[in-house]
Amino acid sequence: MDNYSVLMSVYHREKPEFLRQAVSSVMNQTIIPDDFVLVCDGPLTNELDSTISFLKEQYPCLNIIRLKENKGLGEALSIGITHTKNEIVMRMDSDDICLPHRAETQLPYLEKYDLVGGAISEFEDDPNNIIGYRYVPENYNKIIKFAKKRNPFNHPTTMYKKELILKAGNYKTLLYLEDYYLWIRVLMTSDKVYNIQKILVNMRSGREMRARRSNKTARKSIKFLRKYMFENKFINWFSYCWYSMIYGIVLSLPLSFKKIFYKRLHRK
């Protein structure tokens, strides 16, 4: 089961150098993919287009899918996954860095599981400037318990069977929570999920990400997701009310306090 596809989306605000680093980190794996789907989510800058042309020359397996207008991450990925040619798909963000042994570490687990994630290290500015780590629960029972409170998978570390994602309804639009929304549906579809307790991806983080989580759209997305979880009996009434209140309070905090909260509660 060494053949796998990679699914990535890029839009006009991404930095060309970050994209180059991300793609190169995938193509320098100890087990390299034979299919790499890169969805261009709407028109890009000239610099990004030039970088993509350069990457295409370097890596012929790069399959460029161009959308005429920006659809958002959820829809871009839902389109992109239908263009992947392998049963196994690796998710990767356009500004993160894979560790060299990521695919080699994950692929054996896909013989037993439908979805496999892992831990991340987070950096700001310089990939060597590690500011924290995020480990998520290992097995299904712990994962589903954790999912009732917080996102149970580090999205850029996930590798999964395409059939499972499509069976769970594929990616859908829910700004900032596209992955969490998908995982809830995945967990109601399959119990064959696992998180490797090893760092697989060095993830770019920082002030902009934390600020983004505080806006009105994020609040609406969280409200929608909590309601969806309750209506589908994934959580009970108490959990629905309690965590909706907690998230509302946290998202209203000043950025400096929010930074401390995310560092202490969500990271190691």
CSV table of all heavy atoms in Angstrom, one decimal, residues 100-147:
chain,number,residue,atom,x,y,z
A,100,PRO,N,10.2,14.1,7.2
A,100,PRO,CA,10.6,13.2,6.1
A,100,PRO,C,10.0,11.8,6.1
A,100,PRO,O,9.8,11.2,5.1
A,100,PRO,CB,12.1,13.1,6.2
A,100,PRO,CG,12.5,14.4,6.8
A,100,PRO,CD,11.4,14.7,7.8
A,101,HIS,N,9.8,11.3,7.4
A,101,HIS,CA,9.3,9.9,7.5
A,101,HIS,C,7.8,9.8,7.7
A,101,HIS,O,7.2,8.8,8.1
A,101,HIS,CB,10.0,9.2,8.7
A,101,HIS,CG,11.4,8.9,8.4
A,101,HIS,ND1,12.4,9.9,8.6
A,101,HIS,CD2,12.1,7.8,7.9
A,101,HIS,CE1,13.6,9.4,8.3
A,101,HIS,NE2,13.4,8.1,7.9
A,102,ARG,N,7.1,10.9,7.4
A,102,ARG,CA,5.6,11.0,7.7
A,102,ARG,C,4.9,9.8,7.0
A,102,ARG,O,4.2,9.0,7.6
A,102,ARG,CB,5.0,12.3,7.3
A,102,ARG,CG,3.5,12.3,7.5
A,102,ARG,CD,2.8,13.6,7.0
A,102,ARG,NE,1.4,13.4,6.9
A,102,ARG,CZ,0.5,14.3,6.5
A,102,ARG,NH1,0.9,15.4,6.0
A,102,ARG,NH2,-0.8,14.0,6.5
A,103,ALA,N,5.0,9.8,5.7
A,103,ALA,CA,4.3,8.7,4.9
A,103,ALA,C,4.7,7.3,5.3
A,103,ALA,O,3.9,6.4,5.5
A,103,ALA,CB,4.5,8.9,3.4
A,104,GLU,N,6.0,7.1,5.5
A,104,GLU,CA,6.5,5.8,5.9
A,104,GLU,C,5.9,5.4,7.3
A,104,GLU,O,5.6,4.2,7.5
A,104,GLU,CB,8.0,5.9,6.0
A,104,GLU,CG,8.7,4.6,6.3
A,104,GLU,CD,10.2,4.7,6.4
A,104,GLU,OE1,10.7,5.7,5.9
A,104,GLU,OE2,10.8,3.7,6.9
A,105,THR,N,5.7,6.4,8.1
A,105,THR,CA,5.2,6.1,9.5
A,105,THR,C,3.7,5.8,9.4
A,105,THR,O,3.2,4.8,10.1
A,105,THR,CB,5.4,7.3,10.4
A,105,THR,OG1,6.8,7.6,10.5
A,105,THR,CG2,4.8,7.1,11.8
A,106,GLN,N,2.9,6.5,8.6
A,106,GLN,CA,1.5,6.4,8.5
A,106,GLN,C,1.0,5.2,7.7
A,106,GLN,O,0.0,4.6,8.0
A,106,GLN,CB,0.8,7.7,8.0
A,106,GLN,CG,0.9,8.8,9.0
A,106,GLN,CD,0.2,10.0,8.5
A,106,GLN,OE1,0.7,10.8,7.7
A,106,GLN,NE2,-1.1,10.3,9.0
A,107,LEU,N,1.6,5.0,6.6
A,107,LEU,CA,1.0,4.0,5.6
A,107,LEU,C,0.7,2.6,6.2
A,107,LEU,O,-0.3,2.0,5.9
A,107,LEU,CB,1.9,3.9,4.4
A,107,LEU,CG,1.8,5.0,3.4
A,107,LEU,CD1,3.0,4.9,2.4
A,107,LEU,CD2,0.5,4.9,2.7
A,108,PRO,N,1.6,2.0,7.0
A,108,PRO,CA,1.3,0.7,7.6
A,108,PRO,C,0.0,0.7,8.4
A,108,PRO,O,-0.7,-0.3,8.5
A,108,PRO,CB,2.5,0.4,8.5
A,108,PRO,CG,3.6,1.2,7.9
A,108,PRO,CD,3.0,2.5,7.4
A,109,TYR,N,-0.3,1.8,9.1
A,109,TYR,CA,-1.5,1.8,9.9
A,109,TYR,C,-2.8,1.8,9.0
A,109,TYR,O,-3.9,1.4,9.5
A,109,TYR,CB,-1.6,3.1,10.7
A,109,TYR,CG,-0.6,3.1,11.9
A,109,TYR,CD1,0.7,3.5,11.7
A,109,TYR,CD2,-1.0,2.7,13.1
A,109,TYR,CE1,1.6,3.5,12.8
A,109,TYR,CE2,-0.1,2.7,14.2
A,109,TYR,CZ,1.2,3.1,14.1
A,109,TYR,OH,2.0,3.1,15.1
A,110,LEU,N,-2.7,2.2,7.8
A,110,LEU,CA,-3.9,2.2,6.9
A,110,LEU,C,-4.3,0.8,6.5
A,110,LEU,O,-5.3,0.6,5.8
A,110,LEU,CB,-3.6,3.1,5.7
A,110,LEU,CG,-4.0,4.6,5.7
A,110,LEU,CD1,-5.4,4.8,6.1
A,110,LEU,CD2,-3.1,5.3,6.7
A,111,GLU,N,-3.5,-0.2,6.8
A,111,GLU,CA,-3.9,-1.6,6.6
A,111,GLU,C,-5.0,-2.0,7.6
A,111,GLU,O,-5.7,-2.9,7.3
A,111,GLU,CB,-2.7,-2.5,6.6
A,111,GLU,CG,-1.7,-2.2,5.5
A,111,GLU,CD,-0.4,-3.1,5.6
A,111,GLU,OE1,-0.5,-4.0,6.5
A,111,GLU,OE2,0.5,-2.9,4.9
A,112,LYS,N,-5.0,-1.3,8.7
A,112,LYS,CA,-5.9,-1.6,9.8
A,112,LYS,C,-7.0,-0.6,10.0
A,112,LYS,O,-8.2,-0.9,10.3
A,112,LYS,CB,-5.2,-1.9,11.1
A,112,LYS,CG,-6.1,-2.2,12.3
A,112,LYS,CD,-5.3,-2.5,13.5
A,112,LYS,CE,-6.1,-2.8,14.7
A,112,LYS,NZ,-5.3,-3.0,15.9
A,113,TYR,N,-6.6,0.7,9.8
A,113,TYR,CA,-7.5,1.8,10.0
A,113,TYR,C,-8.0,2.5,8.8
A,113,TYR,O,-7.3,2.4,7.7
A,113,TYR,CB,-6.8,2.8,11.0
A,113,TYR,CG,-6.5,2.2,12.3
A,113,TYR,CD1,-5.2,1.8,12.6
A,113,TYR,CD2,-7.5,2.1,13.3
A,113,TYR,CE1,-4.9,1.3,13.9
A,113,TYR,CE2,-7.2,1.6,14.6
A,113,TYR,CZ,-5.9,1.1,14.8
A,113,TYR,OH,-5.6,0.6,16.0
A,114,ASP,N,-9.1,3.3,8.9
A,114,ASP,CA,-9.6,4.1,7.8
A,114,ASP,C,-9.0,5.5,7.8
A,114,ASP,O,-9.0,6.1,6.7
A,114,ASP,CB,-11.1,4.2,7.8
A,114,ASP,CG,-11.8,2.8,7.6
A,114,ASP,OD1,-11.2,2.0,6.9
A,114,ASP,OD2,-12.9,2.6,8.2
A,115,LEU,N,-8.6,6.0,8.9
A,115,LEU,CA,-8.1,7.3,9.0
A,115,LEU,C,-7.0,7.3,10.1
A,115,LEU,O,-7.3,6.8,11.2
A,115,LEU,CB,-9.2,8.3,9.4
A,115,LEU,CG,-8.8,9.8,9.4
A,115,LEU,CD1,-10.0,10.7,9.1
A,115,LEU,CD2,-8.3,10.2,10.8
A,116,VAL,N,-5.9,7.9,9.8
A,116,VAL,CA,-4.8,8.0,10.8
A,116,VAL,C,-4.2,9.4,10.8
A,116,VAL,O,-3.9,10.0,9.8
A,116,VAL,CB,-3.7,7.0,10.4
A,116,VAL,CG1,-2.5,7.1,11.3
A,116,VAL,CG2,-4.2,5.6,10.4
A,117,GLY,N,-4.1,9.9,12.0
A,117,GLY,CA,-3.5,11.3,12.2
A,117,GLY,C,-2.3,11.1,13.1
A,117,GLY,O,-1.8,10.0,13.3
A,118,GLY,N,-1.8,12.3,13.5
A,118,GLY,CA,-0.6,12.3,14.4
A,118,GLY,C,-0.5,13.6,15.1
A,118,GLY,O,-1.4,14.5,15.1
A,119,ALA,N,0.6,13.8,15.7
A,119,ALA,CA,0.9,15.0,16.5
A,119,ALA,C,1.6,16.1,15.6
A,119,ALA,O,2.2,15.7,14.6
A,119,ALA,CB,1.8,14.7,17.7
A,120,ILE,N,1.5,17.3,16.0
A,120,ILE,CA,2.2,18.4,15.3
A,120,ILE,C,3.1,19.2,16.3
A,120,ILE,O,2.9,19.2,17.5
A,120,ILE,CB,1.2,19.4,14.7
A,120,ILE,CG1,0.3,20.0,15.8
A,120,ILE,CG2,0.4,18.7,13.6
A,120,ILE,CD1,-0.6,21.1,15.3
A,121,SER,N,4.1,19.7,15.7
A,121,SER,CA,4.9,20.8,16.4
A,121,SER,C,4.5,22.1,15.7
A,121,SER,O,4.1,22.1,14.5
A,121,SER,CB,6.4,20.6,16.3
A,121,SER,OG,6.8,20.4,14.9
A,122,GLU,N,4.5,23.2,16.4
A,122,GLU,CA,4.1,24.5,15.9
A,122,GLU,C,5.2,25.4,15.9
A,122,GLU,O,6.0,25.5,16.9
A,122,GLU,CB,2.9,25.0,16.6
A,122,GLU,CG,1.6,24.3,16.4
A,122,GLU,CD,0.4,25.0,17.1
A,122,GLU,OE1,0.5,25.2,18.3
A,122,GLU,OE2,-0.6,25.4,16.4
A,123,PHE,N,5.4,26.2,14.9
A,123,PHE,CA,6.4,27.2,14.8
A,123,PHE,C,5.9,28.6,14.3
A,123,PHE,O,4.9,28.6,13.6
A,123,PHE,CB,7.6,26.7,13.9
A,123,PHE,CG,7.3,26.7,12.4
A,123,PHE,CD1,7.6,27.8,11.6
A,123,PHE,CD2,6.6,25.6,11.9
A,123,PHE,CE1,7.3,27.7,10.3
A,123,PHE,CE2,6.3,25.6,10.5
A,123,PHE,CZ,6.7,26.7,9.7
A,124,GLU,N,6.6,29.6,14.7
A,124,GLU,CA,6.4,30.9,14.2
A,124,GLU,C,7.6,31.4,13.5
A,124,GLU,O,8.7,31.4,14.0
A,124,GLU,CB,6.0,31.9,15.3
A,124,GLU,CG,4.6,31.6,15.9
A,124,GLU,CD,4.2,32.7,17.0
A,124,GLU,OE1,5.1,33.5,17.3
A,124,GLU,OE2,3.1,32.6,17.5
A,125,ASP,N,7.4,31.9,12.2
A,125,ASP,CA,8.4,32.5,11.4
A,125,ASP,C,9.5,31.5,11.0
A,125,ASP,O,9.5,31.1,9.8
A,125,ASP,CB,9.1,33.7,12.2
A,125,ASP,CG,8.1,34.7,12.6
A,125,ASP,OD1,7.2,35.0,11.8
A,125,ASP,OD2,8.3,35.3,13.7
A,126,ASP,N,10.3,31.0,11.8
A,126,ASP,CA,11.4,30.1,11.5
A,126,ASP,C,11.0,28.7,11.9
A,126,ASP,O,10.5,28.5,13.0
A,126,ASP,CB,12.7,30.5,12.3
A,126,ASP,CG,13.9,29.7,11.9
A,126,ASP,OD1,13.7,28.5,11.4
A,126,ASP,OD2,15.0,30.1,12.2
A,127,PRO,N,11.1,27.7,11.0
A,127,PRO,CA,10.7,26.3,11.3
A,127,PRO,C,11.4,25.8,12.5
A,127,PRO,O,11.0,24.8,13.2
A,127,PRO,CB,11.0,25.5,10.1
A,127,PRO,CG,10.9,26.5,9.0
A,127,PRO,CD,11.4,27.8,9.6
A,128,ASN,N,12.6,26.3,12.9
A,128,ASN,CA,13.3,25.9,14.1
A,128,ASN,C,12.8,26.6,15.3
A,128,ASN,O,13.3,26.2,16.4
A,128,ASN,CB,14.8,26.2,13.9
A,128,ASN,CG,15.4,25.4,12.7
A,128,ASN,OD1,15.2,24.2,12.6
A,128,ASN,ND2,16.2,26.0,11.9
A,129,ASN,N,11.9,27.5,15.2
A,129,ASN,CA,11.4,28.2,16.4
A,129,ASN,C,10.1,27.6,16.8
A,129,ASN,O,9.0,28.0,16.6
A,129,ASN,CB,11.2,29.7,16.0
A,129,ASN,CG,10.6,30.5,17.2
A,129,ASN,OD1,10.8,30.2,18.3
A,129,ASN,ND2,9.8,31.5,16.9
A,130,ILE,N,10.3,26.4,17.4
A,130,ILE,CA,9.1,25.6,17.9
A,130,ILE,C,8.5,26.3,19.1
A,130,ILE,O,9.2,26.5,20.1
A,130,ILE,CB,9.5,24.2,18.2
A,130,ILE,CG1,10.2,23.5,17.0
A,130,ILE,CG2,8.3,23.4,18.7
A,130,ILE,CD1,9.3,23.4,15.8
A,131,ILE,N,7.2,26.6,19.1
A,131,ILE,CA,6.5,27.3,20.2
A,131,ILE,C,5.6,26.3,21.0
A,131,ILE,O,5.1,26.7,22.0
A,131,ILE,CB,5.8,28.5,19.7
A,131,ILE,CG1,4.6,28.0,18.7
A,131,ILE,CG2,6.7,29.5,19.1
A,131,ILE,CD1,3.7,29.1,18.4
A,132,GLY,N,5.4,25.1,20.5
A,132,GLY,CA,4.5,24.2,21.2
A,132,GLY,C,4.2,22.9,20.4
A,132,GLY,O,4.7,22.8,19.2
A,133,TYR,N,3.5,22.0,21.0
A,133,TYR,CA,3.2,20.8,20.4
A,133,TYR,C,1.7,20.5,20.6
A,133,TYR,O,1.1,20.9,21.6
A,133,TYR,CB,4.0,19.6,21.0
A,133,TYR,CG,5.5,19.8,20.9
A,133,TYR,CD1,6.2,20.5,21.9
A,133,TYR,CD2,6.2,19.4,19.8
A,133,TYR,CE1,7.6,20.7,21.8
A,133,TYR,CE2,7.5,19.6,19.7
A,133,TYR,CZ,8.2,20.2,20.7
A,133,TYR,OH,9.6,20.4,20.5
A,134,ARG,N,1.1,19.7,19.7
A,134,ARG,CA,-0.3,19.3,19.9
A,134,ARG,C,-0.4,17.9,19.7
A,134,ARG,O,-0.3,17.4,18.6
A,134,ARG,CB,-1.3,20.1,19.1
A,134,ARG,CG,-2.7,19.8,19.4
A,134,ARG,CD,-3.7,20.6,18.6
A,134,ARG,NE,-5.1,20.5,19.2
A,134,ARG,CZ,-6.1,19.8,18.6
A,134,ARG,NH1,-5.9,19.2,17.5
A,134,ARG,NH2,-7.3,19.8,19.2
A,135,TYR,N,-0.7,17.1,20.8
A,135,TYR,CA,-1.0,15.7,20.7
A,135,TYR,C,-2.5,15.5,20.9
A,135,TYR,O,-3.1,16.2,21.7
A,135,TYR,CB,-0.3,14.9,21.8
A,135,TYR,CG,1.2,14.8,21.6
A,135,TYR,CD1,2.1,15.9,21.9
A,135,TYR,CD2,1.8,13.7,21.0
A,135,TYR,CE1,3.4,15.8,21.7
A,135,TYR,CE2,3.2,13.6,20.8
A,135,TYR,CZ,4.0,14.6,21.2
A,135,TYR,OH,5.3,14.5,21.0
A,136,VAL,N,-3.1,14.6,20.2
A,136,VAL,CA,-4.5,14.3,20.3
A,136,VAL,C,-4.7,12.8,20.6
A,136,VAL,O,-3.7,12.0,20.4
A,136,VAL,CB,-5.2,14.7,19.0
A,136,VAL,CG1,-5.6,16.1,18.9
A,136,VAL,CG2,-4.4,14.3,17.7
A,137,PRO,N,-5.8,12.4,21.2
A,137,PRO,CA,-6.0,11.1,21.7
A,137,PRO,C,-5.7,10.0,20.7
A,137,PRO,O,-5.9,10.2,19.5
A,137,PRO,CB,-7.5,11.1,22.1
A,137,PRO,CG,-7.8,12.5,22.4
A,137,PRO,CD,-7.0,13.3,21.5
A,138,GLU,N,-5.3,8.9,21.2
A,138,GLU,CA,-4.7,7.8,20.3
A,138,GLU,C,-5.8,6.9,19.7
A,138,GLU,O,-5.8,6.7,18.5
A,138,GLU,CB,-3.8,6.9,21.1
A,138,GLU,CG,-3.0,5.9,20.3
A,138,GLU,CD,-2.0,5.2,21.2
A,138,GLU,OE1,-1.9,5.4,22.4
A,138,GLU,OE2,-1.2,4.4,20.6
A,139,ASN,N,-6.7,6.3,20.5
A,139,ASN,CA,-7.6,5.3,20.0
A,139,ASN,C,-9.1,5.8,19.9
A,139,ASN,O,-9.4,6.9,20.4
A,139,ASN,CB,-7.6,4.0,20.9
A,139,ASN,CG,-7.9,4.3,22.3
A,139,ASN,OD1,-8.8,5.0,22.7
A,139,ASN,ND2,-7.1,3.7,23.2
A,140,TYR,N,-9.9,5.0,19.3
A,140,TYR,CA,-11.3,5.5,19.0
A,140,TYR,C,-12.1,5.9,20.2
A,140,TYR,O,-12.7,7.0,20.2
A,140,TYR,CB,-12.0,4.3,18.3
A,140,TYR,CG,-13.5,4.7,18.1
A,140,TYR,CD1,-13.9,5.5,17.1
A,140,TYR,CD2,-14.5,4.1,18.9
A,140,TYR,CE1,-15.2,5.8,16.8
A,140,TYR,CE2,-15.9,4.4,18.7
A,140,TYR,CZ,-16.2,5.3,17.7
A,140,TYR,OH,-17.5,5.6,17.5
A,141,ASN,N,-12.0,5.2,21.3
A,141,ASN,CA,-12.8,5.6,22.5
A,141,ASN,C,-12.4,6.9,23.1
A,141,ASN,O,-13.2,7.7,23.4
A,141,ASN,CB,-12.7,4.5,23.6
A,141,ASN,CG,-13.5,3.2,23.2
A,141,ASN,OD1,-14.4,3.3,22.4
A,141,ASN,ND2,-13.1,2.1,23.8
A,142,LYS,N,-11.1,7.1,23.1
A,142,LYS,CA,-10.6,8.4,23.6
A,142,LYS,C,-10.8,9.5,22.6
A,142,LYS,O,-11.1,10.7,22.9
A,142,LYS,CB,-9.1,8.3,23.9
A,142,LYS,CG,-8.8,7.4,25.1
A,142,LYS,CD,-7.3,7.3,25.4
A,142,LYS,CE,-7.0,6.4,26.6
A,142,LYS,NZ,-5.6,6.3,26.9
A,143,ILE,N,-10.7,9.2,21.3
A,143,ILE,CA,-10.9,10.2,20.2
A,143,ILE,C,-12.3,10.7,20.2
A,143,ILE,O,-12.6,11.9,20.2
A,143,ILE,CB,-10.6,9.6,18.9
A,143,ILE,CG1,-9.1,9.4,18.7
A,143,ILE,CG2,-11.1,10.4,17.7
A,143,ILE,CD1,-8.6,8.6,17.5
A,144,ILE,N,-13.3,9.8,20.3
A,144,ILE,CA,-14.7,10.2,20.3
A,144,ILE,C,-15.1,11.0,21.5
A,144,ILE,O,-15.9,11.9,21.5
A,144,ILE,CB,-15.6,9.0,20.1
A,144,ILE,CG1,-17.0,9.4,19.5
A,144,ILE,CG2,-15.8,8.2,21.3
A,144,ILE,CD1,-17.8,8.3,18.9
A,145,LYS,N,-14.5,10.7,22.7
A,145,LYS,CA,-14.8,11.4,23.9
A,145,LYS,C,-14.2,12.8,23.8
A,145,LYS,O,-14.8,13.8,24.1
A,145,LYS,CB,-14.1,10.7,25.1
A,145,LYS,CG,-14.4,11.4,26.4
A,145,LYS,CD,-13.8,10.6,27.6
A,145,LYS,CE,-14.0,11.2,28.9
A,145,LYS,NZ,-13.4,10.5,30.0
A,146,PHE,N,-13.0,12.9,23.2
A,146,PHE,CA,-12.3,14.2,23.0
A,146,PHE,C,-13.1,15.1,22.0
A,146,PHE,O,-13.2,16.3,22.1
A,146,PHE,CB,-10.9,14.0,22.5
A,146,PHE,CG,-10.0,15.2,22.5
A,146,PHE,CD1,-9.3,15.5,23.6
A,146,PHE,CD2,-9.9,15.9,21.3
A,146,PHE,CE1,-8.5,16.7,23.6
A,146,PHE,CE2,-9.1,17.0,21.3
A,146,PHE,CZ,-8.3,17.4,22.4
A,147,ALA,N,-13.6,14.4,21.0
A,147,ALA,CA,-14.3,15.1,19.9
A,147,ALA,C,-15.6,15.8,20.3
A,147,ALA,O,-16.0,16.8,19.7
A,147,ALA,CB,-14.7,14.1,18.8
